Amino acid sequence: MYKNGLKRLFDLIVSLVTLLIASPLLVVVYLILVRQNGGKAFFFQERPGKNQQPFNIIKFKTMTDAKDANGKLLPDNLRITAAGRIIRKLSLDELPQLINVVKGDMSLVGPRPLLYKYIPLYSETQLRRHEVRPGITGWAQVNGRNSIPWTEKFRLDVEYVDQVSLWMDLQIIWMTCKKVIISEGVNQTDDRPMLPFDGTN
């Protein structure tokens, strides 16, 4: 019952209330990034959602578009700005995804939406992570995130799909808030980059 109806209502209510409460902070971050990024405060990227349906994820833009001599984007640690580093450390770059939740593209809790290029690399079991809406945070994020291999993350994603409940969502949200406050494993760091998924790791 929760998974097929009440979860969406829970997402909508919590997202709207959070957006209202956080609106002054969102405006401040928006103005800082507009000034720093030449008018661009948001980053949009197509990701696969529930049943692999495409949607554009929304984040605050914390990196420049600087490229090398061959026109290829420079590594993340060379493009992240001073303000962007602080914003990511506090996980404020993720807040615009509440708009995705309100729109119905995402949920507050669920498997993190990755890139389309990974889909052909998933096993049949790993593909099950797309049976629910992707989340701003998830079971894998509060159980290791960058310190565990991709295969373990996907195992935790599927475990969430099978066990999703209001109690589990509340537990994950609480654990996420604690990790944000103590800055534990919330955003990947320059000295511990997460290697791309290649189908085996």
Side-chain angles (χ1 to χ4, degrees), residues 46-64:
E46 188 174 73
R47 301 283 179 94
K50 183 178 180 180
N51 299 321
Q52 302 178 37
Q53 292 301 304
F55 75 98
N56 286 316
I57 195 170
I58 310 170
K59 293 186 177 185
F60 276 128
K61 185 176 175 63
T62 57
M63 294 186 286
T64 70

Side-chain angles (χ1 to χ4, degrees), residues 21-34:
I21 294 173
S23 56
L25 177 60
L26 292 171
V27 170
V28 170
V29 174
Y30 172 81
L31 293 175
I32 290 173
L33 292 179
V34 163

Side-chain angles (χ1 to χ4, degrees), residues 161-173:
V161 171
D162 289 334
Q163 299 181 15
V164 58
S165 66
L166 175 59
W167 169 244
M168 193 172 191
D169 279 4
L170 291 173
Q171 182 182 5
I172 292 170
I173 290 171

